[in-house]
Amino acid sequence: MAGVRLLVSSATKFAFPSARSRHFDTFLGVAFRPYSCLGSCVTARKSVGATCLPSKETTVPLHVRCYSDDRPSQMQFPLLMEYPQLLWPSVFKVFKNWIMAKFVITPYFDKDFNLKEFGEASQQAVEHVSKQLSKNDLDSLVGLVDKDALLEIRSSLSRFSVQQLSDLAINKEDIYFCFPYEVGVMFDEEEESQRRYVEITMVYFLMKGLSDYKAQHGHPPDFQEMRSPECQEKLYVLNYRFIREFTKGVPPEWTINVLNHYKGRPN
């Protein structure tokens, strides 16, 4: 299958299909709804690790708490990484993202790049990462998750209970909605080689047991059913940010430098 790849380990890789490959039902084993939105930014960076997303100190409407203070404590996870939660899409970012993907990334970085297809393929990587996190097996994520992120996650996992660790594992078939929230293009001004990077932040909504529910009832739960306590206890929101260096001669590998899991009904 043509396309770039997300490095998982020295022995395992996930393919990110190019625009010319359309076999996603077979590749992913699940169909997804169309994407809602994406934000984007183009910026020159002096620091390779810089990001186009808001800093931890920035306050914006989209960075909202997923839980109210009166929700049961078992509905919450300790944070895996200290980073603002991304939850709802912004209509304004839809147009910005379309411009970024259509007129910047595809013509100048990768002619086969397709943002929707990237989002679909990324779910296989998210499933793999979540299951390794649930086993507290961070050594297997070296090369897939940024080393600085792994250090922070390792410290955070020490605060998880056995049940919370188990709840980190997800199946991609249980994702009922996802969208790309932010795309960033970065250049390293201090490098003569003009190193360049693309970051893509994805938001995933899932309900554990969704695939079993659809198999039993023939359809996903409707709005009223999703509001039931039984369903709400199975709801999760995931934030994952992928980065790839597009400098000439660099292997086409996507890695993850930010990730968080949130449990419970989003407000």
Side-chain angles (χ1 to χ4, degrees):
M1 181 179 293
V4 298
R5 294 183 178 274
L6 175 68
L7 181 62
V8 174
S9 69
S10 58
T12 310
K13 290 185 177 181
F14 290 132
F16 274 62
S18 70
R20 297 177 180 175
S21 179
R22 303 293 177 180
H23 306 293
F24 291 110
D25 287 344
T26 302
F27 177 72
L28 294 171
V30 62
F32 294 89
R33 296 188 178 98
Y35 290 89
S36 295
C37 86
L38 172 74
S40 60
C41 68
V42 184
T43 180
R45 300 287 182 180
K46 293 185 178 180
S47 171
V48 171
T51 174
C52 68
L53 289 180
S55 66
K56 298 173 186 177
E57 294 77 15
T58 303
T59 301
V60 295
L62 285 174
H63 296 162
V64 297
R65 288 181 58 84
C66 186
Y67 314 102
S68 61
D69 293 337
D70 59 351
R71 292 191 64 77
S73 60
Q74 65 266 27
M75 293 294 286
Q76 303 184 36
F77 277 148
L79 284 176
L80 288 166
M81 299 184 68
E82 287 291 338
Y83 200 81
Q85 181 183 0
L86 305 176
L87 189 59
W88 302 119
S90 163
V91 176
F92 174 70
K93 289 177 180 284
V94 176
F95 181 64
K96 291 178 64 179
N97 169 73
W98 180 79
I99 291 177
M100 175 65 66
K102 184 75 172 179
F103 298 106
V104 178
I105 298 177
T106 301
Y108 295 106
F109 289 74
D110 181 357
K111 61 182 176 62
D112 292 328
F113 178 79
N114 182 289
L115 187 59
K116 180 179 177 181
E117 295 172 358
F118 172 91
E120 291 172 338
S122 72
Q123 294 168 57
Q124 184 181 3
V126 169
E127 177 180 351
H128 174 81
V129 171
S130 72
K131 290 182 176 179
Q132 301 311 111
L133 291 175
S134 72
K135 296 184 289 187
N136 206 357
D137 182 12
L138 300 187
D139 291 341
S140 66
L141 298 179
V142 173
L144 170 61
V145 179
D146 176 79
K147 61 181 181 180
D148 291 332
L150 282 176
L151 287 175
E152 185 175 353
I153 293 169
R154 190 180 300 275
S155 175
S156 299
L157 287 180
S158 65
R159 301 192 296 271
F160 279 62
S161 67
V162 173
Q163 184 59 53
Q164 287 172 332
L165 280 173
S166 176
D167 288 343
L168 286 173
I170 67 105
N171 295 316
K172 62 181 184 290
E173 291 83 5
D174 290 337
I175 297 175
Y176 63 87
F177 175 65
C178 68
F179 66 92
Y181 171 81
E182 189 87 41
V183 165
V185 174
M186 299 169 293
F187 301 89
D188 191 340
E189 294 179 329
E190 297 180 354
E191 292 283 344
E192 294 183 1
S193 60
Q194 293 251 324
R195 298 177 70 180
R196 50 190 187 172
Y197 303 80
V198 170
E199 279 186 339
I200 301 176
T201 303
M202 297 292 302
V203 179
Y204 308 86
F205 288 78
L206 66 100
M207 187 185 85
K208 289 204 170 182
L210 177 63
S211 57
D212 294 335
Y213 184 99
K214 291 192 291 187
Q216 179 179 356
H217 298 276
H219 60 81
D222 58 27
F223 178 75
Q224 289 300 323
E225 291 168 327
M226 291 287 282
R227 290 174 58 87
S228 69
E230 180 182 1
C231 282
Q232 290 185 23
E233 291 178 358
K234 300 177 182 179
L235 297 181
Y236 294 76
V237 179
L238 278 56
N239 294 168
Y240 276 66
R241 190 175 73 192
F242 299 84
I243 186 170
R244 175 190 162 185
E245 183 174 357
F246 276 86
T247 307
K248 185 177 181 181
V250 175
E253 296 167 352
W254 291 91
T255 57
I256 298 164
N257 58 10
V258 170
L259 65 91
N260 262 318
H261 288 217
Y262 305 92
K263 183 179 180 181
R265 178 180 63 86
N267 290 326

